[in-house]
Amino acid sequence: MSTEKKQAELIKEISGVNPLKCMKCGKCSASCPSFNEMDIKPHQFVSYVANENIEELVNSKSLWKCLSCFACVERCPRDVKPGKLIDAARQLVVRQKGQNYLTPDEIPELLDPELPQQLLVSAFRRYRR
Amino acid sequence: MQRIGVFVCHCGSNIAATVDVKRVAEMALMEPGVVHAEDYQYMCSEAGQALIAKAIEEKQLTGLVICSCSPRMHEATFRKAAERAGLNPYMVEIANIREHCSWIHKDMEEATKKAVILMRAAVAKVNLNTPLQPGESLVTKRALVIGGGIAGIQTALDIADAGYEVDIVEKEPSIGGRMSQLDKTFPTLDCSACILTPKMVEAAAHEKINIYTYSEVEKVSGFVGDFTVDIRKKARSVDMDKCTGCGVCQEKCPSKKAPSEFNRGLNNRSAIYTPFAQAIPNVPVIDREHCIKFKTGKCGVCSKVCQAGAIDYDQKDEIVTEKYGAIVVATGFDIIKLDNYDEYAYSQSKDVITSLELERIMNAAGPTSGHLERLSDGKAPKEIVFIQCVGSRCSDDRGKSYCSKICCMYTAKHAMLIRDKYPDVNVTVFYIDVRTPGKNFDEFYRRAVEQYGVNYIKGQVGKVIPQPDGKLLVQGSDLLDNKQILKEADMVVLAAAIEPNPDVRKIATMLTASIDTNNFLTEAHAKLRPVESPTAGIFLSGVCQGPKDIPETVAQAGAAAVKAIGLLAKDKLMTNPCTAKPDETLCNGCSTCANVCPYGAITYEDKEIFDHGIRETRRVAQVNSALCQGCGACTVACPSGAMDLQGFSNRQIIAEVDAICR
Amino acid sequence: MQELINRAKELLADGTVARVLGWKAGDLPYNPEPAYFETEESLKDFVYNGFCGANLSKYMIEASKLEGKTMVCLKPCDTYSFNQLIKEHRVDRDKAYIVGVGCKGKLDIEKIKKQGIKGIQSIQGAEITDDAETLTIQTIYGEKTCAYKDGMLERCHVCKGKEHQIYDEIIGESKDTKDADRFDEVRRIEAMRPEEKFAFFQSELSKCIRCNACRNVCPACSCRKCVFDSNKFDSSQKANVDSFEEKMFHIIRAFHVAGRCTDCGECSRVCPQGIPLHLFNRKFIKDIDELYGEYQAGEDTDSKGPLTNFTFDDAEPSIVTERG
Amino acid sequence: MSIEAKEEFRPKIVAFCCNWCSYAGADLAGSSRLSYPADVKIIRVPCSCRVNPMFILRAFEKGADGVIMCGCHPGDCHYSTGNYYARRRMTLLFSMLDYIGVENGRTRVEWVSAAEGVKFSTTMNEFVEKIYSLGKNVRLEDIRCRN
């Protein structure tokens, strides 16, 4: 198996998403608040994974522009959930780097009273895996 | 002990070239019960059949084994031949030594050995055969059509034209159904009422058609050819015989706050009402929930103004019991609730509407008298956005997994009509795919784009955000340009998915007609029997079977009518005698068999059973042989072996197994 | 136990029930047997203790035909069987007054004897009011003790829980005694090579004497006439003549109760030859759970059983080969 | 050495075919002259749901070396749902046979439509080959039934 194929499989496994279910309606891109910031658009995440074009996907700006607001996950009529895909791609990168994005020790200095607690908790949960 | 005759066919050289037919016949004589065996060139020929008849007579045969081609080919031929010779046709078994033997094996020795074994299996089976008599049941020459929309009306008309009595049961106060709510119809743009109303009148005037409006099917019993149905005629509070349909009561009724069902709740109607002007029958009903007389006991205006004295506040629901030979289900559809689609702001803005609501707005008899205007402020919209596939093609549980089929076309119709009547209004359609497989359909859609300048955007809308100034901000994607679009609209029209009428579940249960996960009624065969339910005598017309447009609905309505007529034209039904039969003394009454029966043919009865000197009342299975199709699912489900299949009994099959493994 | 007897007396006295279905003491300290009690007087023989393993729900098939109500004592696991029988219209709910009796695990005398405890004269610690920790056994060789747990029936180690699924009232406390996975043994067999599996079942089943105790005690095997007693399949057999027939009998028996068996374990409890018959039923239960979704027969009285149901995308039979 | 071992092994194979699809598929295999070994003998049943596990065990008891059941493809059953029930029943039965140590190649279910003459013949060829490789069924046979 090529590396990209492996990575694509991994993304599918982490996200639990079957990209073949996509019917290319574009509702994800229509819902995305970061659409204009992205080079690869949410609806394209799906075809990048389906076509195993992972290298480009993980090097895209979009990877870090997704706000994980999950509007696309919520509204996708086909249960494809592009937000979960990009989230999985992000995890792939984080795991590859062999490091945790956040360590518990780093948290105190990051604490900003303005910051919603939930954001920290979810970020922590996500990047600690 | 049976007296069995074995007849081995040469089939010219088809069999004889590879199977030693003489030896098969010789070997047959060594089998238990066999008293006669012979071979002949063509058993199915007249001479061959004469040979069989002669042997039956001379040797007093009680059973036949024909070693020949497939039973699918000539079983019927040989059964008839046996019957003519005075033998019960079900005492004949075929050993298939052509398709399953001579044609696939080359070695004569091997093929002959196999032919002998197949013959033995057939002989073993015939030894256990018993004469079977096909049952007979009478056909009531009257049909019931459930639902009085275009599907029901068309089916009723076609059946009635063939000379049979038809009753239509419609739960609303008038027939007409969804089609009566439509303004224009694609792809010809004729006015819906103009083509539907004459049919409604024709149905009402037809001497063979009897219409029960404001009525519902309450109970169904019986089976194909002989259904008994209870119909609940809901209290109308108006005497149908006296009412002249003058309409004064509706005008004078002081309670005018009831949302109009016909106008999808966009405006109100009086408590005494007919749903629309062309209603058939043109007799109002009193909506007791909104009627002041019923709520407070005071009022009675309608009664006072009615010259005919037709108002009857004491009317009660009435149950009518009728017998029918065939039942056609034509319960139609509704559009889905949009509660799960908050992103389109349907509940937040009056200017986000469904396509069916737009139909009413565009209709001259509708809430805005046909003027295209915003329901919030009555202003003329300048920018209209249509959103396709709202709730259709969804694999999550918010919507429906199927394509609603009609939306692409009616949206093109709406877009075109708006652009035609109001050229200054911009129309944008967000679509996933435009599906136009129908005669003149794609041409119609292209006309909307090319001739009327409707802006079609490939992409879906993510959300609709009502603005403080009353506008609607539509955020959608344009997949071909790879852009996200923000568009201010005055009106948003949602092509909401259609779903079978929610009542169909109840009706299907009463009819024991099967239903799929989407509540569409299942057809007996997806390709070959698309208008019949697997339950005999139940036929399907219109959208209750699956999404359809008007021409398809009418075509299916006609097809369902033909199937019903085909049934009603028979005086008696011959039933397949190879049906399940319970041994009542062994039956546990556990209902396992009934649970797997696809035809609802098994019922339970408390019956007095005499078994081993004990007389007691037991719950035992009963098979309605008119409904049973003989699949045998029940026989395996039954743990005690009480349920057996005639013609394919447990012992017969085991005898075949034993003969083959001998 | 006294509470049960008192309640039974009350119910008999006020005419709520015409009889009581419970257990009476046997001739040995550990073999109480199912019994009907129709008078207050007769209740003096009533017992309920750790050896009352019998599942009384099947008796209700006959009791449903009798005049008047029957008070029946059901342990938590027995109520599953009762529900299943309601579903199959074999018992009449209105003819039963169900007293959910407490249960702290039932005892297997064979297991106690296997620990070398012989010559038993009396057993203490098996009363339902006891805390079910230790059994004190008086034998002709002196006093012995045995941990309650070590004397428990196999089925109690995989207890379905202490909740009664159906009852009119509950008397006595129950304890969830589960400390093992009920599919462990099935898995162990599944992992064997075909020859080993064959040898295992051959050696177990060759002990079968076709006494039909398993069939007669099984609440799911409630057919008026078993296929093995009728000529419907040319299959009537009174005894095994060779190795095939016992397999045929036990496979078909398990198949006939598949999806209906509540895993009450009575078959194994009563087998005089000690054949672990529950291993057949559990195999079907495990397959059903894995292939068609978790299903516990007797949890309700109206759901469709797994063999009278299907989904469009059920596993193909070839899965048996594929999963190896 | 037993007497049978000296003889050439010819398996006994019972095939249950539903009347509407597989039996017709077998007919088509015949009319297309697509051969398969004569060891296969077909029993016609109305539907795969008519096949009782008793029949299959009975065949083995009487010395069959393999039993195959064919029905309409799921979704195409003439009786609309019969093969769905059959599928569950056979899956459980086969699993049980496997569990008690019967070689699982001796049983098989295949969905064959009336148009699949080729599939019918290939399936039978494959199945017979499999049974040859497994050899005589000794684990389930009732020795009294030998003759």
Side-chain angles (χ1 to χ4, degrees):
Chain A
M1 227 193 288
S2 73
T3 338
E4 286 207 285
K5 190 173 172 66
K6 260 189 219 154
Q7 287 176 324
E9 289 304 321
L10 200 57
I11 290 181
K12 285 185 228 171
E13 195 194 314
I14 298 171
S15 61
V17 165
N18 174 8
L20 296 181
K21 287 181 79 181
C22 175
M23 64 169 169
K24 303 177 170 49
C25 70
K27 200 165 178 178
C28 42
S29 283
S31 302
C32 183
S34 309
F35 184 91
N36 291 331
E37 311 286 321
M38 291 187 175
D39 44 359
I40 296 175
K41 308 299 187 189
H43 68 273
Q44 294 172 297
F45 299 166
V46 182
S47 52
Y48 272 75
V49 176
N51 298 332
E52 291 158 10
N53 198 352
I54 308 301
E55 228 16 71
E56 249 182 275
L57 183 64
V58 296
N59 290 320
S60 69
K61 272 204 292 184
S62 305
L63 196 65
W64 308 105
K65 289 295 178 189
C66 168
L67 301 170
S68 297
C69 72
F70 283 4
C72 51
V73 172
E74 216 29 57
R75 292 185 192 147
C76 175
R78 306 290 302 175
D79 245 357
V80 180
K81 305 171 179 167
K84 290 213 163 171
L85 281 179
I86 202 72
D87 196 40
R90 250 182 328 224
Q91 280 190 45
L92 199 67
V93 174
V94 173
R95 286 186 191 179
Q96 263 176 354
K97 286 184 180 164
Q99 63 186 37
N100 297 321
Y101 202 70
L102 276 180
T103 68
D105 303 337
E106 288 171 335
I107 299 234
E109 51 186 290
L110 287 172
L111 280 180
D112 175 345
E114 297 284 302
L115 218 55
Q117 183 70 14
Q118 204 183 350
L119 178 75
L120 263 179
V121 173
S122 61
F124 186 62
R125 193 189 294 135
R126 181 173 309 145
Y127 301 121
R128 275 284 291 165
R129 260 183 260 168
Chain B
M1 192 73 189
Q2 306 272 25
R3 295 177 59 81
I4 298 168
V6 177
F7 300 86
V8 188
C9 181
H10 299 202
C11 198
S13 64
N14 275 314
I15 294 172
T18 8
V19 171
D20 182 347
V21 286
K22 294 257 184 276
R23 205 164 112 222
V24 175
E26 273 164 34
M27 297 295 282
L29 282 170
M30 293 156 74
E31 290 300 302
V34 177
V35 294
H36 177 85
E38 63 181 309
D39 59 283
Y40 184 68
Q41 279 252 295
Y42 291 103
M43 274 298 164
C44 60
S45 69
E46 220 162 286
Q49 294 188 36
L51 224 64
I52 296 172
K54 189 163 151 260
I56 293 176
E57 201 193 348
E58 283 177 2
K59 303 267 175 87
Q60 286 116 49
L61 300 182
T62 58
L64 303 182
V65 167
I66 320 281
C67 303
S68 63
C69 55
S70 171
R72 297 169 51 84
M73 189 77 93
H74 275 310
E75 188 174 58
T77 314
F78 292 120
R79 279 185 174 169
K80 274 190 200 129
E83 197 172 16
R84 276 196 301 274
L87 199 62
N88 182 286
Y90 295 91
M91 297 304 292
V92 179
E93 291 295 334
I94 311 281
N96 184 347
I97 60 166
R98 194 178 76 174
E99 281 85 345
H100 293 184
C101 188
S102 72
W103 276 354
I104 46 170
H105 306 311
K106 294 206 174 64
D107 183 81
M108 185 122 183
E109 180 62 26
E110 201 176 77
T112 305
K113 263 191 191 164
K114 178 168 174 181
V116 168
I117 292 174
L118 294 177
M119 174 273 292
R120 278 182 189 157
V123 169
K125 187 176 181 194
V126 172
N127 261 311
L128 296 167
N129 277 22
T130 45
L132 300 176
Q133 300 299 340
E136 263 182 13
S137 60
L138 294 174
V139 177
T140 306
K141 306 221 169 237
R142 189 184 187 94
L144 171 68
V145 175
I146 305 173
I150 181 63
I153 293 171
Q154 186 62 50
T155 303
L157 282 171
D158 288 347
I159 297 175
D161 282 344
Y164 299 101
E165 300 277 342
V166 189
D167 290 352
I168 300 178
V169 172
E170 167 61 54
K171 69 174 173 183
E172 298 297 332
S174 167
I175 58 169
R178 288 284 159 251
M179 189 175 167
S180 64
Q181 292 178 295
L182 307 183
D183 182 40
K184 300 270 175 358
T185 55
F186 61 77
T188 46
L189 297 183
D190 17 17
C191 133
S192 185
C194 311
I195 55 177
L196 175 66
T197 323
K199 284 216 180 276
M200 289 164 61
V201 174
E202 196 187 337
H206 205 296
E207 57 167 359
K208 297 274 185 194
I209 299 181
N210 175 32
I211 302 175
Y212 294 102
T213 49
Y214 211 48
S215 301
E216 283 177 46
V217 172
E218 183 105 339
K219 197 176 133 217
V220 180
S221 58
F223 48 89
V224 55
D226 187 25
F227 293 105
T228 304
V229 180
D230 286 358
I231 299 163
R232 175 180 292 273
K233 289 172 75 180
K234 290 180 279 186
R236 217 177 174 104
S237 315
V238 177
D239 188 326
M240 292 195 62
D241 296 329
K242 289 185 188 160
C243 173
T244 59
C246 69
V248 176
C249 52
Q250 302 184 48
E251 232 170 79
K252 300 287 184 208
C253 176
S255 166
K256 292 216 157 49
K257 292 261 170 63
S260 158
E261 294 85 357
F262 186 74
N263 282 329
R264 307 296 296 181
L266 298 181
N267 65 353
N268 293 333
R269 57 158 171 81
S270 45
I272 184 166
Y273 74 106
T274 50
F276 52 104
Q278 302 80 11
I280 283 181
N282 187 17
V283 176
V285 299
I286 295 181
D287 168 2
R288 294 186 173 184
E289 240 173 74
H290 290 94
C291 172
I292 300 170
K293 173 81 179 171
F294 279 99
K295 282 199 294 192
T296 67
K298 294 187 198 100
C299 182
V301 171
C302 48
S303 176
K304 280 174 214 144
V305 300
C306 182
Q307 304 258 314
I311 308 293
D312 176 5
Y313 298 118
D314 299 327
Q315 224 177 53
K316 297 219 159 45
D317 286 9
E318 191 188 329
I319 304 281
V320 185
T321 304
E322 276 287 357
K323 281 180 108 41
Y324 300 99
I327 299 178
V328 183
V329 188
T331 45
F333 70 99
D334 205 335
I335 56 173
I336 61 162
K337 297 240 178 335
L338 292 171
D339 304 350
N340 289 333
Y341 288 92
D342 254 3
E343 65 260 38
Y344 296 131
Y346 178 72
S347 59
Q348 298 158 45
S349 168
K350 280 184 135 183
D351 301 322
V352 179
I353 58 174
T354 65
S355 296
L356 195 51
E357 287 163 5
L358 183 66
E359 289 285 350
R360 294 316 304 148
I361 291 175
M362 307 267 283
N363 189 276
T368 61
S369 309
H371 299 297
L372 182 63
E373 57 190 48
R374 282 157 51 99
L375 292 172
S376 58
D377 51 16
K379 282 189 194 148
K382 290 282 163 255
E383 196 73 53
I384 300 183
V385 167
F386 285 85
I387 304 176
Q388 298 302 92
C389 298
V390 177
S392 298
R393 308 169 68 192
C394 286
S395 52
D396 58 13
D397 48 14
R398 295 206 296 165
K400 303 290 177 186
S401 58
Y402 49 86
C403 165
S404 294
K405 199 169 184 180
I406 52 175
C407 324
C408 286
M409 286 302 290
Y410 70 59
T411 298
K413 171 188 81 179
H414 288 151
M416 200 185 280
L417 288 171
I418 291 171
R419 291 284 296 160
D420 187 50
K421 213 165 159 191
Y422 310 94
D424 59 331
V425 176
N426 286 322
V427 176
T428 307
V429 178
F430 282 92
Y431 70 95
I432 305 174
D433 299 288
V434 177
R435 296 180 165 177
T436 54
K439 192 171 165 187
N440 293 328
F441 281 15
D442 205 62
E443 294 89 327
F444 183 80
Y445 150 61
R446 290 314 304 167
R447 234 164 70 212
V449 178
E450 294 164 24
Q451 201 174 322
Y452 290 91
V454 178
N455 182 18
Y456 270 80
I457 297 178
K458 158 93 185 146
Q460 190 53 298
V461 169
K463 57 178 168 179
V464 175
I465 312 139
Q467 302 293 299
D469 63 355
K471 297 247 179 201
L472 298 160
L473 187 64
V474 177
Q475 181 182 317
S477 62
D478 182 336
L479 294 181
L480 298 181
D481 275 357
N482 213 7
K483 275 194 191 123
Q484 197 176 62
I485 294 176
L486 279 174
K487 199 173 194 66
E488 282 215 322
D490 301 304
M491 205 175 203
V492 170
V493 184
L494 307 177
I498 62 173
E499 65 180 355
N501 194 303
D503 288 345
V504 78
R505 196 153 252 291
K506 204 172 72 203
I507 289 171
T509 312
M510 284 192 269
L511 297 172
T512 63
S514 49
I515 208 164
D516 67 16
T517 47
N518 290 314
N519 283 355
F520 285 115
L521 285 158
T522 315
E523 56 279 10
H525 191 283
K527 283 135 256 175
L528 301 178
R529 296 171 69 196
V531 302
E532 294 154 82
S533 157
T535 306
I538 310 290
F539 305 99
L540 315 175
S541 175
V543 183
C544 66
Q545 179 259 342
K548 272 176 207 69
D549 59 19
I550 295 169
E552 273 184 304
T553 297
V554 172
Q556 203 201 14
V562 169
K563 290 287 171 192
I565 293 165
L567 168 59
L568 297 179
K570 291 181 183 143
D571 293 321
K572 282 179 198 160
L573 293 175
M574 294 289 259
T575 54
N576 170 17
C578 294
T579 52
K581 194 178 173 192
D583 179 335
E584 291 173 349
T585 59
L586 294 185
C587 177
N588 296 326
C590 69
S591 286
T592 312
C593 53
N595 284 335
V596 297
C597 178
Y599 305 103
I602 303 175
T603 49
Y604 284 84
E605 202 169 275
D606 286 327
K607 209 167 167 183
E608 187 160 273
I609 304 292
F610 192 67
D611 179 23
H612 285 83
I614 299 165
R615 193 183 290 278
E616 60 180 3
T617 306
R618 291 181 185 170
R619 182 177 195 271
V620 288
Q622 303 286 304
V623 173
N624 183 330
S625 56
L627 292 179
C628 175
Q629 307 284 310
C631 67
C634 53
T635 61
V636 183
C638 177
S640 67
M643 196 60 93
D644 211 344
L645 188 63
Q646 301 182 97
F648 290 95
S649 72
N650 291 322
R651 290 188 65 212
Q652 282 176 314
I653 296 174
I654 279 180
E656 287 181 87
V657 168
D658 290 359
I660 288 172
C661 297
R662 184 141 58 115
Chain C
M1 184 171 98
Q2 198 50 47
E3 200 185 342
L4 260 175
I5 295 172
N6 292 343
R7 186 65 184 130
K9 281 181 182 167
E10 271 172 45
L11 290 169
L12 279 174
D14 68 13
T16 312
V17 300
R19 68 197 68 76
V20 172
L21 178 51
W23 299 263
K24 70 172 186 202
D27 52 347
L28 294 167
Y30 47 75
N31 67 348
E33 57 194 54
Y36 284 116
F37 304 89
E38 292 188 342
T39 58
E40 223 172 278
E41 223 274 299
S42 63
L43 281 164
K44 68 178 190 316
D45 296 330
F46 186 99
V47 291
Y48 180 60
N49 58 34
F51 289 101
C52 295
N55 178 348
L56 300 181
S57 46
K58 189 176 186 180
Y59 293 82
M60 284 308 295
I61 296 176
E62 286 309 313
S64 293
K65 296 179 190 162
L66 303 174
E67 204 56 46
K69 275 195 180 197
T70 304
M71 166 182 149
V72 56
C73 303
L74 297 181
K75 303 183 291 293
C77 57
D78 303 340
T79 56
Y80 288 88
S81 307
F82 192 83
N83 261 350
Q84 185 64 26
L85 287 166
I86 292 181
K87 188 193 276 188
E88 294 169 10
H89 307 275
R90 302 308 310 276
V91 295
D92 188 345
R93 176 69 182 91
D94 299 333
K95 285 286 189 71
Y97 186 91
I98 302 172
V99 174
V101 291
C103 176
K104 294 173 178 169
K106 291 294 168 240
L107 295 161
D108 183 352
I109 189 65
E110 298 304 323
K111 274 196 174 170
I112 296 171
K113 285 181 180 167
K114 262 195 196 131
Q115 295 172 35
I117 301 173
K118 302 262 162 70
I120 297 169
Q121 287 173 315
S122 70
I123 301 174
Q124 280 88 44
E127 286 307 313
I128 189 65
T129 39
D130 294 327
D131 57 5
E133 295 293 340
T134 317
L135 293 169
T136 312
I137 303 156
Q138 303 298 333
T139 76
I140 49 176
Y141 309 107
E143 189 179 286
K144 306 265 166 99
T145 58
C146 160
Y148 194 92
K149 225 173 153 181
D150 296 338
M152 245 168 24
L153 286 162
E154 189 278 343
R155 71 176 191 216
C156 297
H157 290 284
V158 298
C159 177
K160 283 191 279 291
K162 58 178 186 179
E163 306 301 332
H164 290 84
Q165 303 297 307
I166 185 169
Y167 58 87
D168 292 300
E169 64 179 283
I170 289 180
I171 295 176
E173 256 178 65
S174 295
K175 197 162 111 180
D176 187 342
T177 56
K178 183 172 190 293
D179 59 3
D181 186 316
R182 66 169 167 165
F183 295 131
D184 276 350
E185 228 176 322
V186 176
R187 278 190 207 103
R188 189 177 59 80
I189 297 166
E190 283 172 344
M192 293 180 183
R193 283 179 291 116
E195 310 82 83
E196 292 173 329
K197 291 178 184 172
F198 190 74
F200 172 79
F201 280 106
Q202 183 84 326
S203 79
E204 286 295 345
L205 291 180
S206 61
K207 291 188 262 178
C208 175
I209 54 171
R210 277 303 290 279
C211 68
N212 288 332
C214 50
R215 186 179 89 186
N216 293 347
V217 78
C218 174
C221 264
S222 57
C223 286
R224 289 182 201 286
K225 193 170 198 178
C226 176
V227 283
F228 288 100
D229 288 344
S230 82
N231 58 1
K232 288 282 160 182
F233 289 82
D234 276 339
S235 56
S236 92
Q237 298 164 335
K238 289 287 178 231
N240 297 323
V241 174
D242 74 15
S243 68
F244 178 78
E245 291 182 358
E246 61 223 18
K247 288 197 199 79
M248 174 103 163
F249 173 77
H250 290 291
I251 294 172
I252 291 296
R253 202 186 87 75
F255 190 84
H256 280 176
V257 302
R260 303 162 55 227
C261 167
T262 65
D263 200 9
C264 76
E266 285 285 272
C267 44
S268 295
R269 185 182 70 87
V270 301
C271 180
Q273 296 289 80
I275 305 172
L277 292 165
H278 63 275
L279 290 178
F280 284 100
N281 304 324
R282 290 230 182 117
K283 168 65 177 165
F284 277 136
I285 293 172
K286 179 169 177 281
D287 277 342
I288 286 167
D289 282 0
E290 285 172 1
L291 297 169
Y292 312 126
E294 299 256 330
Y295 182 84
Q296 170 62 53
E299 215 164 42
D300 60 74
T301 56
D302 47 16
S303 67
K304 271 195 167 187
L307 275 171
T308 55
N309 207 353
F310 61 85
T311 64
F312 296 131
D313 41 16
D314 277 340
E316 292 295 331
S318 56
I319 191 165
V320 176
T321 322
E322 284 153 15
R323 67 183 177 191
Chain D
M1 214 174 167
S2 70
I3 300 161
E4 287 104 57
K6 281 184 196 156
E7 282 174 16
E8 192 204 352
F9 168 55
R10 289 306 301 259
K12 289 176 186 165
I13 294 170
V14 179
F16 291 98
C17 290
C18 82
N19 184 43
W20 306 95
C21 289
S22 334
Y23 196 89
D27 280 358
L28 180 61
S31 46
S32 320
R33 312 296 199 274
L34 299 164
S35 76
Y36 52 87
D39 310 316
V40 178
K41 315 287 187 307
I42 296 170
I43 294 179
R44 183 164 70 127
V45 286
C47 176
S48 52
C49 68
R50 178 68 188 91
V51 180
N52 195 310
M54 290 279 267
F55 302 160
I56 292 173
L57 295 187
R58 175 72 165 220
F60 284 127
E61 174 185 13
K62 299 292 175 183
D65 302 294
V67 179
I68 180 165
M69 185 189 91
C70 300
C72 308
H73 285 270
D76 289 347
C77 175
H78 177 79
Y79 305 99
S80 71
T81 53
N83 51 8
Y84 290 120
Y85 295 119
R87 183 162 66 178
R88 284 200 170 186
R89 290 168 185 162
M90 292 306 136
T91 307
L92 290 183
L93 178 70
F94 292 0
S95 178
M96 178 56 79
L97 290 175
D98 176 59
Y99 181 69
I100 65 160
V102 177
E103 309 90 331
N104 58 31
R106 291 202 189 276
T107 48
R108 179 164 171 180
V109 165
E110 201 63 58
W111 311 120
V112 180
S113 81
E116 293 176 324
V118 177
K119 182 175 181 189
F120 188 87
S121 126
T122 351
T123 302
M124 291 306 154
N125 277 307
E126 270 174 34
F127 189 61
V128 173
E129 203 173 304
K130 177 81 192 174
I131 300 302
Y132 269 101
S133 75
L134 289 170
K136 186 137 193 62
N137 158 39
V138 287
R139 297 209 174 140
L140 280 180
E141 193 185 3
D142 181 343
I143 42 164
R144 290 175 315 169
C145 298
R146 267 186 216 161
N147 44 0

